[in-house]
Amino acid sequence: GENVEQHPSTLSVQEGDSAVIKCTYSDSASNYFPWYKQELGKGPQLIIDIRSNVGEKKDQRIAVTLNKTAKHFSLHITETQPEDSAVYFCAAKNNNNDMRFGAGTRLTVKP
Amino acid sequence: EAQVTQNPRYLITVTGKKLTVTCSQNMNHEYMSWYRQDPGLGLRQIYYSMNVEVTDKGDVPEGYKVSRKEKRNFPLILESPSPNQTSLYFCASSLTTASRGYTFGSGTRLTVV
């Protein structure tokens, strides 16, 4: 089955700097890669996603890149703000709706 | 407001006392799923349901039961809870199995003593 690894487990950046979180997956049949943001006391919320037929997607300050050959994808947050502080999860899903999550990255943006 | 509602938000119980965590969605979603979240392990799927009366085991189903008698509800049942089921539980739903991301509930923090 699918195995998703996520790095780093914790990340601390200064406000205004960029943050990058990386994930690798094992199942070449995976074709959908969402990223979730989980704030304290809340459930994960979808913030951006990418399908396997696209290499990069951007939405304001966040972007996701996908390298299908290497089976890895990354979340990029630019101009970080304190409200970006949260736990971020990557995930990979195949056509059987088998979605596997990474272990999460705790991002702290210091003012 | 479109949402997934879980109850209760917090629960402390004793070993062996049956409990049910409810999950309800108001988006007419076909697909529903239960996850548990533990430190360093991310989200692990317990059970899922592709539609009414159709349920399947996820990665960590032992000690849990579910039912899907109606489209909007997907309760998680712990017949005889044990301390290793102390965790943060999330219910999630999506329109169909081919849909993109999930909508998650706010979570249920369960402690079994």
Side-chain angles (χ1 to χ4, degrees):
Chain A
E2 176 67 278
N3 182 45
V4 178
E5 294 192 359
Q6 183 172 346
H7 301 280
S9 56
T10 60
L11 178 61
S12 182
V13 300
Q14 207 65 42
E15 181 177 359
D17 288 349
S18 295
V20 180
I21 302 170
K22 298 181 180 181
C23 288
T24 60
Y25 62 98
S26 60
D27 185 357
S28 56
S30 291
N31 54 22
Y32 173 67
F33 307 91
W35 285 88
Y36 291 85
K37 176 183 181 182
Q38 184 181 18
E39 296 175 318
L40 195 62
K42 297 183 179 179
Q45 281 197 301
L46 180 69
I47 55 171
I48 195 167
D49 55 12
I50 191 168
R51 289 201 172 275
S52 57
N53 58 349
V54 176
E56 184 174 357
K57 185 176 177 181
K58 190 173 181 180
D59 182 4
Q60 299 183 333
R61 295 186 299 108
I62 59 173
V64 58
T65 58
L66 171 66
N67 182 327
K68 282 192 300 181
T69 304
K71 295 203 193 88
H72 65 71
F73 56 112
S74 302
L75 178 72
H76 305 254
I77 307 175
T78 58
E79 299 170 31
T80 53
Q81 301 166 2
E83 49 266 38
D84 294 329
S85 296
V87 177
Y88 291 81
F89 291 99
C90 64
K93 188 169 92 163
N94 60 24
N95 281 335
N96 293 326
N97 208 41
D98 182 14
M99 179 120 85
R100 300 302 174 96
F101 289 82
T105 297
R106 182 173 297 280
L107 173 65
T108 303
V109 180
K110 295 179 285 187
Chain B
E1 180 188 352
Q3 60 185 358
V4 176
T5 304
Q6 290 178 232
N7 279 298
R9 290 293 310 274
Y10 302 91
L11 179 59
I12 301 174
T13 190
V14 296
T15 300
K17 185 177 181 182
K18 180 179 179 179
L19 67 91
T20 299
V21 183
T22 64
C23 174
S24 179
Q25 48 90 8
N26 61 359
M27 297 167 282
N28 202 36
H29 283 176
E30 289 183 353
Y31 182 86
M32 297 185 75
S33 181
W34 276 102
Y35 288 86
R36 61 178 287 174
Q37 183 180 359
D38 301 289
L41 297 176
L43 292 154
R44 293 181 293 166
Q45 190 176 52
I46 303 170
Y47 268 95
Y48 64 95
S49 168
M50 293 194 180
N51 215 323
V52 177
E53 302 291 359
V54 180
T55 62
D56 281 293
K57 295 178 180 178
D59 295 321
V60 288
E62 295 77 23
Y64 304 94
K65 283 174 58 177
V66 293
S67 69
R68 188 91 182 274
K69 294 190 173 78
E70 21 176 25
K71 203 171 191 178
R72 63 183 294 125
N73 295 323
F74 189 45
L76 179 70
I77 303 152
L78 284 72
E79 295 269 4
S80 183
S82 61
N84 64 13
Q85 292 179 297
T86 292
S87 187
L88 180 57
Y89 292 87
F90 287 102
C91 180
S93 73
S94 65
L95 186 60
T96 66
T97 56
S99 295
R100 295 161 59 189
Y102 296 165
T103 301
F104 281 87
S106 297
T108 296
R109 185 166 290 283
L110 172 66
T111 302
V112 184
V113 297

